[in-house]
Amino acid sequence: MVAMEHSLNRFTEDDLSPYRVFTEAEWAKLRADTPMTLTATEVRRLQSLNDPVSIAQVESILLPLSRLLAYYVEATQQLHRATSRFLGRNDVKNPFVIGIAGSVAVGKSTTARLLQALLARWPASPKVDLVTTDGFLYPNAVLEAEGLMRRKGFPESYDRATLLKFLSDLKAGRRHVRAPVYSHFYYDVMPGQFVTVDRPDILILEGLNVLQTTNLPRDGKEVPFVSDFFDFSIYIDAEEDVLHEWYVSRFMRLRETAFRDPGSYFNKYSKVDDDEALAIAEGLWNEINLVNLRENILPTRPRADLILRKADTHAINEVRLRKL
């Protein structure tokens, strides 16, 4: 054992890391001649509350990423065609699935929407759909009955079977596959409302725990994970204290905007004073979101193909790409 540890000590952490690490400037050079197809106005429209992103960042980070994904999609399609030839089958189009994971308030939704817009404007004009895993949460009535309302967003709060069936149908090339709709305004899955996905070229699936695994059975039985259906996965990362600040700041801003609507589930938070609201936000972060981050979300980071590291300014200052 001592000899093994001595042998490992001869290598640096970078030597053993499965990732290649790039600064923003280094990554930006990989854009090559990829054209910028979004305007500053469109970038502003696609960003979420309290998640500012500049058009310069889109050019330096997301444009090179879209170029990389173009290569991945092409290679995956070639592999699919080769497998179909080997099997003597003429299978339907198999969509390329991109998973985006990360903490609450890290900016997953903004990144997903911007990436969707960039990919949809490739010269071939592919069909790019975006689905969030929020729709696959159990309805509040179920969570309340099971005592899980304060575990909302934890792995056990999702209807995993329905999510896996959605992805399985999608990968099988089935037409008009439906995903449930979630409302952040009502803080619940909307009964009878669905978004229909009909054989896209690319699907982006965004959610807290999309890279989550479970304990493997000792009998070797198949246990499907959501990430089994991914062709590429992205984890958006930031320090705990930065995420904490972003979450609380967003909560306090929502108090002055969306929470003021009488129909909002969170309307009650707009009626308390600033000190009480701040205490509520801190409690929600420390008792729910931080626990989920530490126990379930952060441990999945090493499973991602790409890690986008954010500074406290919201700017991505480091990119980690898994080595092949």
Side-chain angles (χ1 to χ4, degrees):
M1 180 65 71
V2 174
M4 290 176 62
E5 290 180 356
H6 177 72
S7 178
L8 286 172
N9 288 337
R10 290 189 292 109
F11 300 97
T12 67
E13 184 177 343
D14 287 341
D15 289 330
L16 300 176
S17 172
Y19 292 98
R20 299 182 188 277
V21 182
F22 302 85
T23 64
E24 180 183 359
E26 290 169 340
W27 184 256
K29 293 178 182 178
L30 301 175
R31 169 189 174 181
D33 59 352
T34 308
M36 179 58 179
T37 55
L38 293 179
T39 66
T41 300
E42 288 172 317
V43 169
R44 286 193 297 270
R45 178 175 56 82
L46 292 170
Q47 67 187 30
S48 300
L49 179 70
N50 208 48
D51 186 28
V53 58
S54 67
I55 193 166
Q57 270 263 296
V58 175
E59 290 186 10
S60 64
I61 300 294
L62 296 185
L63 268 184
L65 176 55
S66 73
R67 178 173 179 245
L68 174 68
L69 287 170
Y71 289 131
Y72 272 70
V73 170
E74 180 183 1
T76 302
Q77 289 173 344
Q78 289 176 352
L79 178 61
H80 177 69
R81 287 193 292 269
T83 303
S84 295
R85 284 198 302 270
F86 172 74
L87 296 173
R89 299 171 57 174
N90 186 22
D91 289 339
V92 296
K93 178 176 62 178
N94 195 316
F96 188 91
V97 180
I98 302 168
I100 299 182
S103 170
V104 166
V106 77
K108 297 184 301 299
S109 297
T110 296
T111 301
R113 287 193 293 267
L114 288 168
L115 197 55
Q116 179 190 24
L118 286 170
L119 299 181
R121 296 185 186 185
W122 286 350
S125 299
K127 182 181 179 184
V128 186
D129 286 338
L130 170 61
V131 171
T132 72
T133 58
D134 292 342
F136 295 94
L137 286 161
Y138 286 113
N140 286 354
V142 174
L143 295 176
E144 288 170 353
E146 298 293 329
L148 291 173
M149 277 299 286
R150 289 186 69 81
R151 301 281 291 181
K152 199 169 188 177
F154 285 65
E156 62 268 29
S157 66
Y158 291 90
D159 185 348
R160 181 167 163 264
T162 300
L163 176 55
L164 288 170
K165 180 66 166 56
F166 167 79
L167 290 169
S168 179
D169 286 348
L170 183 86
K171 278 292 193 179
R174 291 190 170 89
R175 302 294 304 269
H176 310 299
V177 182
R178 300 196 309 177
V181 171
Y182 184 85
S183 168
H184 288 278
F185 183 80
Y186 293 109
Y187 195 57
D188 203 355
V189 178
M190 302 307 292
Q193 294 189 27
F194 300 90
V195 58
T196 300
V197 179
D198 188 21
R199 290 184 180 172
D201 298 293
I202 300 170
L203 176 83
I204 299 173
L205 184 71
E206 175 253 303
L208 296 171
N209 291 298
V210 294
L211 294 176
Q212 183 72 35
T213 62
T214 56
N215 293 329
L216 295 173
R218 294 188 177 276
D219 58 8
K221 289 184 178 178
E222 296 90 347
V223 178
F225 305 131
V226 170
S227 57
D228 289 339
F229 297 90
F230 293 167
D231 297 288
F232 194 86
S233 57
I234 300 167
Y235 185 97
I236 305 177
D237 195 25
E239 293 288 350
E240 272 187 14
D241 58 342
V242 172
L243 291 168
H244 172 205
E245 179 185 344
W246 290 348
Y247 176 81
V248 172
S249 176
R250 185 178 69 178
F251 182 93
M252 298 301 283
R253 286 190 64 186
L254 285 169
R255 256 185 88 242
E256 303 300 324
T257 53
F259 291 177
R260 289 190 177 276
D261 191 308
S264 170
Y265 178 90
F266 297 103
N267 177 252
K268 58 188 175 182
Y269 296 141
S270 70
K271 298 177 181 179
V272 300
D273 62 34
D274 288 349
D275 289 342
E276 186 176 353
L278 184 60
I280 291 169
E282 292 284 354
L284 292 172
W285 172 258
N286 290 312
E287 297 167 22
I288 299 176
N289 294 296
L290 180 58
V291 177
N292 197 17
L293 173 63
R294 289 176 174 175
E295 292 183 358
N296 302 304
I297 303 169
L298 186 60
T300 70
R301 182 177 62 189
R303 304 190 67 240
D305 295 306
L306 187 87
I307 300 172
L308 300 176
R309 179 76 169 173
K310 284 191 169 186
D312 56 5
T313 60
H314 292 270
I316 296 167
N317 59 7
E318 182 182 273
V319 178
R320 290 179 175 255
L321 176 64
R322 182 174 291 280
K323 300 172 185 175
L324 296 179

